[in-house]
Short mmCIF file of all heavy atoms in Angstrom, two decimals:
data_model
loop_
_atom_site.label_atom_id
_atom_site.label_comp_id
_atom_site.label_asym_id
_atom_site.label_seq_id
_atom_site.Cartn_x
_atom_site.Cartn_y
_atom_site.Cartn_z
N MET P 467 109.06 67.27 67.25
CA MET P 467 108.84 67.72 68.69
C MET P 467 109.83 68.80 69.03
O MET P 467 110.99 68.62 68.96
CB MET P 467 109.04 66.49 69.54
CG MET P 467 108.07 66.54 70.74
SD MET P 467 108.33 65.09 71.73
CE MET P 467 107.39 63.84 70.91
N PRO P 468 109.32 69.94 69.41
CA PRO P 468 110.33 71.01 69.69
C PRO P 468 111.01 70.80 71.00
O PRO P 468 110.39 70.40 72.03
CB PRO P 468 109.43 72.26 69.81
CG PRO P 468 108.02 71.72 70.13
CD PRO P 468 107.97 70.35 69.45
N SER P 469 112.33 71.00 70.97
CA SER P 469 113.09 70.81 72.16
C SER P 469 113.42 72.24 72.81
O SER P 469 113.95 73.07 72.19
CB SER P 469 114.37 70.17 71.91
OG SER P 469 115.24 70.10 73.00
N GLN P 470 112.91 72.49 73.96
CA GLN P 470 113.12 73.76 74.63
C GLN P 470 114.08 73.75 75.81
O GLN P 470 114.13 74.64 76.60
CB GLN P 470 111.75 74.26 75.14
CG GLN P 470 110.68 74.39 74.06
CD GLN P 470 109.35 74.85 74.61
OE1 GLN P 470 109.08 74.70 75.78
NE2 GLN P 470 108.52 75.42 73.75
N SER P 471 114.82 72.66 75.83
CA SER P 471 115.70 72.44 76.91
C SER P 471 116.79 73.53 77.04
O SER P 471 117.10 74.03 78.11
CB SER P 471 116.28 71.07 76.95
OG SER P 471 117.01 70.91 75.73
N SER P 472 117.26 73.96 75.85
CA SER P 472 118.42 74.85 75.94
C SER P 472 118.00 76.25 75.38
O SER P 472 118.89 77.11 75.20
CB SER P 472 119.55 74.35 75.04
OG SER P 472 119.19 74.19 73.77
N THR P 473 116.72 76.41 75.15
CA THR P 473 116.27 77.71 74.62
C THR P 473 115.71 78.56 75.81
O THR P 473 114.74 78.16 76.47
CB THR P 473 115.17 77.53 73.60
OG1 THR P 473 115.62 76.66 72.56
CG2 THR P 473 114.71 78.89 73.00
N PRO P 474 116.40 79.66 76.10
CA PRO P 474 115.91 80.50 77.27
C PRO P 474 114.59 81.09 76.89
O PRO P 474 114.35 81.53 75.71
CB PRO P 474 116.95 81.65 77.30
CG PRO P 474 117.75 81.57 76.00
CD PRO P 474 117.52 80.20 75.42
N ARG P 475 113.72 81.20 77.80
CA ARG P 475 112.39 81.77 77.61
C ARG P 475 112.61 83.34 77.39
O ARG P 475 113.38 83.96 78.08
CB ARG P 475 111.56 81.55 78.86
CG ARG P 475 110.07 81.76 78.63
CD ARG P 475 109.26 80.86 79.47
NE ARG P 475 109.53 81.04 80.93
CZ ARG P 475 108.71 81.84 81.66
NH1 ARG P 475 107.67 82.39 81.28
NH2 ARG P 475 109.09 81.90 82.93
N THR P 476 111.76 83.77 76.52
CA THR P 476 111.86 85.24 76.30
C THR P 476 110.66 86.03 76.88
O THR P 476 109.55 85.53 76.78
CB THR P 476 111.86 85.58 74.78
OG1 THR P 476 112.98 84.89 74.20
CG2 THR P 476 111.95 87.06 74.46
N VAL P 477 110.99 87.01 77.59
CA VAL P 477 109.88 87.81 78.22
C VAL P 477 109.98 89.25 77.73
O VAL P 477 111.04 89.64 77.25
CB VAL P 477 109.96 87.77 79.75
CG1 VAL P 477 109.72 86.42 80.25
CG2 VAL P 477 111.33 88.30 80.25
N ILE P 478 108.85 89.96 77.81
CA ILE P 478 108.85 91.40 77.40
C ILE P 478 109.02 92.24 78.64
O ILE P 478 108.18 92.13 79.62
CB ILE P 478 107.56 91.72 76.73
CG1 ILE P 478 107.33 90.69 75.52
CG2 ILE P 478 107.59 93.09 76.25
CD1 ILE P 478 108.45 90.84 74.45
N CYS P 479 110.06 93.08 78.64
CA CYS P 479 110.19 94.03 79.78
C CYS P 479 108.91 94.82 79.93
O CYS P 479 108.49 95.48 78.98
CB CYS P 479 111.34 94.89 79.57
SG CYS P 479 111.56 96.18 80.74
N PRO P 480 108.31 94.78 81.10
CA PRO P 480 107.00 95.55 81.32
C PRO P 480 107.21 97.03 81.13
O PRO P 480 106.19 97.69 80.90
CB PRO P 480 106.62 95.14 82.78
CG PRO P 480 107.42 94.02 83.05
CD PRO P 480 108.70 94.04 82.25
N THR P 481 108.39 97.46 81.26
CA THR P 481 108.59 98.94 81.28
C THR P 481 108.84 99.41 79.85
O THR P 481 108.14 100.35 79.37
CB THR P 481 109.74 99.35 82.15
OG1 THR P 481 109.48 98.97 83.47
CG2 THR P 481 109.93 100.87 82.16
N CYS P 482 109.79 98.85 79.16
CA CYS P 482 110.18 99.45 77.84
C CYS P 482 109.86 98.39 76.73
O CYS P 482 110.13 98.73 75.55
CB CYS P 482 111.65 99.74 77.86
SG CYS P 482 112.74 98.31 77.89
N LYS P 483 109.24 97.33 77.05
CA LYS P 483 108.62 96.39 76.06
C LYS P 483 109.72 95.80 75.19
O LYS P 483 109.55 95.45 74.04
CB LYS P 483 107.65 97.08 75.08
CG LYS P 483 106.64 98.01 75.82
CD LYS P 483 105.84 97.12 76.81
CE LYS P 483 104.75 97.97 77.54
NZ LYS P 483 104.16 97.29 78.69
N THR P 484 110.98 95.69 75.80
CA THR P 484 112.05 94.99 75.02
C THR P 484 111.99 93.57 75.40
O THR P 484 111.87 93.11 76.50
CB THR P 484 113.35 95.68 75.48
OG1 THR P 484 113.38 96.98 75.15
CG2 THR P 484 114.51 94.98 74.85
N ALA P 485 112.23 92.80 74.36
CA ALA P 485 112.18 91.30 74.57
C ALA P 485 113.57 90.94 75.09
O ALA P 485 114.66 91.26 74.52
CB ALA P 485 111.97 90.60 73.22
N ILE P 486 113.57 90.24 76.21
CA ILE P 486 114.86 89.84 76.83
C ILE P 486 114.70 88.32 77.12
O ILE P 486 113.61 87.90 77.44
CB ILE P 486 115.09 90.60 78.11
CG1 ILE P 486 113.87 90.49 79.12
CG2 ILE P 486 115.36 92.13 77.78
CD1 ILE P 486 114.34 90.88 80.52
N PRO P 487 115.83 87.64 77.20
CA PRO P 487 115.85 86.31 77.65
C PRO P 487 115.66 86.22 79.15
O PRO P 487 116.27 86.91 79.86
CB PRO P 487 117.22 85.75 77.24
CG PRO P 487 118.04 86.95 77.14
CD PRO P 487 117.18 88.06 76.76
N TYR P 488 114.73 85.31 79.54
CA TYR P 488 114.47 85.18 81.00
C TYR P 488 115.38 84.15 81.53
O TYR P 488 115.15 82.97 81.58
CB TYR P 488 112.98 84.73 81.07
CG TYR P 488 112.45 84.69 82.55
CD1 TYR P 488 111.80 85.88 83.01
CD2 TYR P 488 112.66 83.62 83.37
CE1 TYR P 488 111.35 85.88 84.33
CE2 TYR P 488 112.12 83.63 84.64
CZ TYR P 488 111.53 84.80 85.11
OH TYR P 488 111.07 84.76 86.38
N THR P 489 116.51 84.67 81.98
CA THR P 489 117.54 83.78 82.54
C THR P 489 117.94 84.21 83.91
O THR P 489 117.73 85.42 84.31
CB THR P 489 118.81 83.67 81.58
OG1 THR P 489 119.44 84.96 81.67
CG2 THR P 489 118.44 83.51 80.16
N THR P 490 118.57 83.26 84.59
CA THR P 490 119.15 83.68 85.93
C THR P 490 120.25 84.69 85.85
O THR P 490 120.65 85.18 86.86
CB THR P 490 119.57 82.43 86.64
OG1 THR P 490 120.43 81.66 85.91
CG2 THR P 490 118.32 81.56 87.06
N ASP P 491 120.72 84.90 84.62
CA ASP P 491 121.80 85.87 84.48
C ASP P 491 121.32 87.29 84.65
O ASP P 491 122.08 88.18 84.84
CB ASP P 491 122.50 85.70 83.11
CG ASP P 491 123.29 84.44 82.95
OD1 ASP P 491 123.69 83.98 84.05
OD2 ASP P 491 123.52 83.97 81.85
N ASN P 492 120.00 87.45 84.51
CA ASN P 492 119.48 88.77 84.66
C ASN P 492 118.80 88.92 85.99
O ASN P 492 117.68 88.43 86.19
CB ASN P 492 118.48 88.97 83.52
CG ASN P 492 117.81 90.36 83.61
OD1 ASN P 492 118.20 91.23 84.42
ND2 ASN P 492 116.73 90.49 82.83
N PRO P 493 119.40 89.62 86.91
CA PRO P 493 118.88 89.73 88.28
C PRO P 493 117.63 90.61 88.24
O PRO P 493 116.94 90.66 89.21
CB PRO P 493 120.04 90.33 89.08
CG PRO P 493 120.83 91.08 88.04
CD PRO P 493 120.69 90.30 86.77
N TYR P 494 117.41 91.30 87.20
CA TYR P 494 116.24 92.27 87.15
C TYR P 494 115.00 91.71 86.42
O TYR P 494 114.14 92.41 86.18
CB TYR P 494 116.72 93.59 86.51
CG TYR P 494 117.92 94.14 87.16
CD1 TYR P 494 119.12 94.27 86.38
CD2 TYR P 494 118.02 94.45 88.44
CE1 TYR P 494 120.33 94.68 87.01
CE2 TYR P 494 119.12 94.97 89.09
CZ TYR P 494 120.30 95.04 88.30
OH TYR P 494 121.43 95.46 88.87
N ARG P 495 115.20 90.48 85.97
CA ARG P 495 114.10 89.89 85.28
C ARG P 495 112.77 90.01 85.94
O ARG P 495 112.84 89.94 87.28
CB ARG P 495 114.38 88.42 84.94
CG ARG P 495 114.46 87.51 86.15
CD ARG P 495 115.07 86.12 85.77
NE ARG P 495 115.07 85.25 86.95
CZ ARG P 495 116.01 85.25 87.94
NH1 ARG P 495 117.01 86.16 87.84
NH2 ARG P 495 115.96 84.52 88.94
N PRO P 496 111.66 90.15 85.46
CA PRO P 496 111.39 90.18 83.99
C PRO P 496 111.76 91.51 83.33
O PRO P 496 111.34 91.69 82.23
CB PRO P 496 109.95 89.89 83.89
CG PRO P 496 109.33 90.49 85.06
CD PRO P 496 110.33 90.39 86.17
N PHE P 497 112.48 92.37 84.06
CA PHE P 497 112.82 93.65 83.44
C PHE P 497 114.14 93.45 82.72
O PHE P 497 114.90 92.55 83.06
CB PHE P 497 112.83 94.72 84.47
CG PHE P 497 111.60 94.86 85.25
CD1 PHE P 497 111.42 94.19 86.47
CD2 PHE P 497 110.60 95.67 84.81
CE1 PHE P 497 110.30 94.24 87.24
CE2 PHE P 497 109.38 95.73 85.54
CZ PHE P 497 109.18 95.06 86.67
N CYS P 498 114.41 94.39 81.79
CA CYS P 498 115.69 94.31 81.07
C CYS P 498 116.84 94.90 81.78
O CYS P 498 118.00 94.61 81.59
CB CYS P 498 115.47 94.99 79.72
SG CYS P 498 115.43 96.75 79.84
N SER P 499 116.50 95.76 82.82
CA SER P 499 117.62 96.48 83.43
C SER P 499 117.15 96.93 84.88
O SER P 499 115.86 96.91 85.15
CB SER P 499 118.10 97.67 82.64
OG SER P 499 117.03 98.63 82.53
N GLN P 500 118.07 97.35 85.64
CA GLN P 500 117.69 97.89 86.98
C GLN P 500 116.84 99.10 86.85
O GLN P 500 115.89 99.33 87.64
CB GLN P 500 118.96 98.22 87.78
CG GLN P 500 118.63 98.73 89.18
CD GLN P 500 119.91 99.14 89.89
OE1 GLN P 500 120.88 99.55 89.27
NE2 GLN P 500 119.89 99.12 91.18
N ARG P 501 117.14 99.93 85.80
CA ARG P 501 116.40 101.12 85.60
C ARG P 501 114.93 100.85 85.37
O ARG P 501 113.98 101.46 85.98
CB ARG P 501 117.02 101.85 84.50
CG ARG P 501 116.33 103.29 84.24
CD ARG P 501 117.10 104.07 83.21
NE ARG P 501 116.47 105.42 83.02
CZ ARG P 501 115.52 105.64 82.13
NH1 ARG P 501 115.09 104.63 81.32
NH2 ARG P 501 115.09 106.77 82.00
N CYS P 502 114.70 99.83 84.51
CA CYS P 502 113.30 99.57 84.19
C CYS P 502 112.60 99.00 85.37
O CYS P 502 111.40 99.22 85.61
CB CYS P 502 113.21 98.63 83.03
SG CYS P 502 113.51 99.38 81.49
N LYS P 503 113.24 98.26 86.21
CA LYS P 503 112.66 97.73 87.40
C LYS P 503 112.30 98.87 88.34
O LYS P 503 111.23 98.82 88.93
CB LYS P 503 113.62 96.74 88.10
CG LYS P 503 113.04 95.99 89.34
CD LYS P 503 114.00 95.09 89.87
CE LYS P 503 113.35 94.26 90.95
NZ LYS P 503 114.22 93.19 91.50
N LEU P 504 113.17 99.73 88.49
CA LEU P 504 112.86 100.90 89.43
C LEU P 504 111.75 101.69 88.91
O LEU P 504 110.93 102.17 89.67
CB LEU P 504 114.20 101.76 89.56
CG LEU P 504 115.33 101.14 90.33
CD1 LEU P 504 116.54 102.02 90.33
CD2 LEU P 504 114.93 100.74 91.75
N ILE P 505 111.71 101.88 87.61
CA ILE P 505 110.60 102.65 87.07
C ILE P 505 109.29 101.96 87.32
O ILE P 505 108.36 102.59 87.78
CB ILE P 505 110.73 102.75 85.56
CG1 ILE P 505 111.93 103.69 85.28
CG2 ILE P 505 109.49 103.27 84.90
CD1 ILE P 505 112.25 103.84 83.74
N ASP P 506 109.26 100.62 87.17
CA ASP P 506 108.00 99.90 87.44
C ASP P 506 107.60 99.90 88.87
O ASP P 506 106.48 99.98 89.23
CB ASP P 506 108.13 98.50 86.92
CG ASP P 506 106.84 97.71 86.91
OD1 ASP P 506 106.03 97.99 86.04
OD2 ASP P 506 106.64 97.00 87.89
N LEU P 507 108.63 99.94 89.75
CA LEU P 507 108.27 99.97 91.13
C LEU P 507 107.96 101.40 91.55
O LEU P 507 107.65 101.61 92.77
CB LEU P 507 109.54 99.49 91.97
CG LEU P 507 109.79 98.00 91.70
CD1 LEU P 507 111.05 97.63 92.54
CD2 LEU P 507 108.67 97.10 92.21
N GLY P 508 108.04 102.33 90.72
CA GLY P 508 107.76 103.68 91.10
C GLY P 508 108.78 104.37 91.90
O GLY P 508 108.57 105.35 92.64
N GLN P 509 110.02 103.89 91.84
CA GLN P 509 111.06 104.42 92.59
C GLN P 509 112.04 105.25 91.81
O GLN P 509 113.00 105.74 92.29
CB GLN P 509 111.91 103.27 93.19
CG GLN P 509 111.16 102.39 94.18
CD GLN P 509 112.03 101.28 94.71
OE1 GLN P 509 113.17 101.10 94.37
NE2 GLN P 509 111.40 100.50 95.58
N TRP P 510 111.60 105.56 90.59
CA TRP P 510 112.45 106.39 89.69
C TRP P 510 111.91 107.75 89.59
O TRP P 510 112.41 108.64 88.84
CB TRP P 510 112.58 105.63 88.39
CG TRP P 510 113.72 106.16 87.57
CD1 TRP P 510 113.69 107.06 86.56
CD2 TRP P 510 115.09 105.78 87.70
NE1 TRP P 510 114.99 107.26 86.11
CE2 TRP P 510 115.86 106.48 86.85
CE3 TRP P 510 115.74 104.95 88.64
CZ2 TRP P 510 117.30 106.30 86.70
CZ3 TRP P 510 117.09 104.76 88.54
CH2 TRP P 510 117.87 105.46 87.56
N ALA P 511 110.80 108.04 90.21
CA ALA P 511 110.19 109.37 90.21
C ALA P 511 111.37 110.34 90.74
O ALA P 511 111.81 110.14 91.89
CB ALA P 511 108.97 109.50 91.02
N ASP P 512 111.64 111.24 89.99
CA ASP P 512 112.86 112.05 90.20
C ASP P 512 113.06 112.49 91.68
O ASP P 512 114.00 112.01 92.32
CB ASP P 512 112.84 113.30 89.34
CG ASP P 512 113.01 112.91 87.95
OD1 ASP P 512 113.75 111.94 87.62
OD2 ASP P 512 112.38 113.62 87.05
N GLU P 513 112.11 113.21 92.16
CA GLU P 513 112.35 113.77 93.53
C GLU P 513 112.24 112.68 94.66
O GLU P 513 113.02 112.72 95.55
CB GLU P 513 111.27 114.86 93.78
CG GLU P 513 111.53 116.10 92.92
CD GLU P 513 110.46 117.13 93.17
OE1 GLU P 513 109.87 117.16 94.21
OE2 GLU P 513 110.33 117.97 92.29
N GLU P 514 111.30 111.79 94.42
CA GLU P 514 111.25 110.80 95.45
C GLU P 514 112.41 109.87 95.53
O GLU P 514 112.78 109.41 96.62
CB GLU P 514 109.95 109.97 95.18
CG GLU P 514 108.70 110.70 95.47
CD GLU P 514 107.53 109.80 95.22
OE1 GLU P 514 107.62 108.57 95.28
OE2 GLU P 514 106.36 110.35 94.96
N TYR P 515 113.02 109.65 94.36
CA TYR P 515 114.19 108.75 94.32
C TYR P 515 115.40 109.48 94.92
O TYR P 515 116.20 108.89 95.59
CB TYR P 515 114.45 108.32 92.91
CG TYR P 515 115.48 107.22 92.82
CD1 TYR P 515 115.25 105.99 93.25
CD2 TYR P 515 116.77 107.57 92.34
CE1 TYR P 515 116.15 105.02 93.16
CE2 TYR P 515 117.72 106.53 92.31
CZ TYR P 515 117.42 105.29 92.68
OH TYR P 515 118.37 104.29 92.67
N ARG P 516 115.46 110.75 94.71
CA ARG P 516 116.71 111.36 95.18
C ARG P 516 116.59 111.86 96.64
O ARG P 516 117.56 111.92 97.34
CB ARG P 516 116.98 112.63 94.26
CG ARG P 516 117.51 112.26 92.94
CD ARG P 516 118.18 113.45 92.26
NE ARG P 516 117.22 114.61 92.08
CZ ARG P 516 116.75 114.91 90.91
NH1 ARG P 516 117.12 114.28 89.77
NH2 ARG P 516 115.91 115.88 90.78
N ILE P 517 115.40 112.17 97.00
CA ILE P 517 115.16 112.73 98.31
C ILE P 517 114.20 111.82 99.15
O ILE P 517 112.99 111.97 99.00
CB ILE P 517 114.59 114.15 98.28
CG1 ILE P 517 115.43 115.07 97.39
CG2 ILE P 517 114.46 114.77 99.71
CD1 ILE P 517 114.84 116.34 97.05
N PRO P 518 114.77 110.96 99.96
CA PRO P 518 113.93 110.10 100.82
C PRO P 518 113.12 110.96 101.79
O PRO P 518 113.65 111.92 102.36
CB PRO P 518 114.93 109.23 101.52
CG PRO P 518 116.31 109.94 101.40
CD PRO P 518 116.21 110.74 100.20
N GLU P 519 111.82 110.54 101.93
CA GLU P 519 111.01 111.39 102.70
C GLU P 519 111.40 111.20 104.25
O GLU P 519 111.39 112.18 105.01
CB GLU P 519 109.54 110.97 102.52
CG GLU P 519 109.02 111.37 101.14
CD GLU P 519 107.51 111.00 101.00
OE1 GLU P 519 106.94 110.76 101.98
OE2 GLU P 519 107.05 111.02 99.84
N GLN P 520 111.69 110.08 104.58
CA GLN P 520 112.12 109.85 105.95
C GLN P 520 113.31 108.92 105.93
O GLN P 520 113.38 107.93 105.28
CB GLN P 520 110.96 109.21 106.77
CG GLN P 520 110.22 108.12 106.09
CD GLN P 520 109.17 107.55 106.96
OE1 GLN P 520 109.30 107.41 108.10
NE2 GLN P 520 108.01 107.33 106.38
N GLU P 521 114.22 109.28 106.79
CA GLU P 521 115.50 108.48 106.84
C GLU P 521 115.29 107.40 107.76
O GLU P 521 115.03 107.53 108.99
CB GLU P 521 116.64 109.34 107.29
CG GLU P 521 117.03 110.39 106.16
CD GLU P 521 118.39 110.99 106.54
OE1 GLU P 521 118.86 110.80 107.66
OE2 GLU P 521 118.90 111.81 105.76
N LYS P 522 115.27 106.21 107.19
CA LYS P 522 115.12 104.97 108.09
C LYS P 522 116.46 104.23 108.12
O LYS P 522 116.94 103.76 107.13
CB LYS P 522 114.14 104.09 107.43
CG LYS P 522 113.00 103.60 108.36
CD LYS P 522 112.22 102.51 107.70
CE LYS P 522 110.75 103.02 107.54
NZ LYS P 522 109.89 101.99 106.97
N PRO P 523 117.02 104.15 109.30
CA PRO P 523 118.25 103.43 109.36
C PRO P 523 118.11 101.97 109.13
O PRO P 523 117.25 101.36 109.66
CB PRO P 523 118.71 103.73 110.89
CG PRO P 523 117.48 104.11 111.53
CD PRO P 523 116.58 104.75 110.57
N LEU P 524 118.97 101.45 108.27
CA LEU P 524 118.85 100.03 107.98
C LEU P 524 119.31 99.20 109.17
O LEU P 524 120.26 99.59 109.83
CB LEU P 524 119.74 99.77 106.77
CG LEU P 524 119.19 100.30 105.40
CD1 LEU P 524 120.23 100.05 104.35
CD2 LEU P 524 117.92 99.75 105.08
N PRO P 525 118.56 98.13 109.44
CA PRO P 525 119.03 97.28 110.56
C PRO P 525 120.39 96.68 110.22
O PRO P 525 120.52 95.98 109.16
CB PRO P 525 118.00 96.24 110.64
CG PRO P 525 117.28 96.21 109.31
CD PRO P 525 117.44 97.66 108.81
N ASP P 526 121.35 96.91 110.99
CA ASP P 526 122.63 96.33 110.74
C ASP P 526 122.94 95.15 111.58
O ASP P 526 123.34 95.30 112.82
CB ASP P 526 123.73 97.48 110.96
CG ASP P 526 124.31 97.98 109.68
OD1 ASP P 526 124.24 97.25 108.67
OD2 ASP P 526 124.73 99.09 109.73
N ASP P 527 122.80 94.04 111.02
CA ASP P 527 123.18 92.81 111.76
C ASP P 527 124.58 92.48 111.45
O ASP P 527 124.98 91.93 110.46
CB ASP P 527 122.27 91.68 111.34
CG ASP P 527 120.81 91.86 111.88
OD1 ASP P 527 120.70 92.47 112.89
OD2 ASP P 527 119.93 91.41 111.15
N VAL P 528 125.46 92.78 112.42
CA VAL P 528 126.89 92.60 112.10
C VAL P 528 127.32 91.26 112.84
O VAL P 528 126.89 91.02 113.87
CB VAL P 528 127.74 93.82 112.65
CG1 VAL P 528 129.18 93.49 112.32
CG2 VAL P 528 127.28 95.02 112.05
ZN1 LIG U 1354 113.23 97.59 80.00
#
């Protein structure tokens, strides 16, 4: 009987197809990195990422 209690699940990064352990240590899961996550979200497109179309002030709850 296989014991999977201590074996982290492995997922494939949707962006670069790298196998990574699916753990809570990785805040970008199921992506391998922040970069891959941004790419998948379409936020890494050069101009759009560097130049926001409209400046939206973040709500500052102090
Ligand atoms: Zn990746």
Side-chain angles (χ1 to χ4, degrees):
M467 215 180 277
S469 172
Q470 299 178 339
S471 57
S472 61
T473 304
R475 196 149 59 100
T476 298
V477 294
I478 305 296
C479 173
T481 301
C482 70
K483 314 302 181 189
T484 297
I486 56 164
Y488 190 91
T489 69
T490 52
D491 288 338
N492 177 10
Y494 309 115
R495 64 190 184 280
F497 304 93
C498 70
S499 64
Q500 182 184 27
R501 183 172 181 271
C502 281
K503 184 175 184 177
L504 291 177
I505 289 175
D506 189 78
L507 293 177
Q509 296 179 0
W510 199 257
D512 292 325
E513 293 179 20
E514 288 182 22
Y515 188 71
R516 287 199 300 252
I517 307 170
E519 292 184 12
Q520 45 180 316
E521 289 189 355
K522 229 190 246 181
L524 294 173
D526 253 335
D527 290 328
V528 183

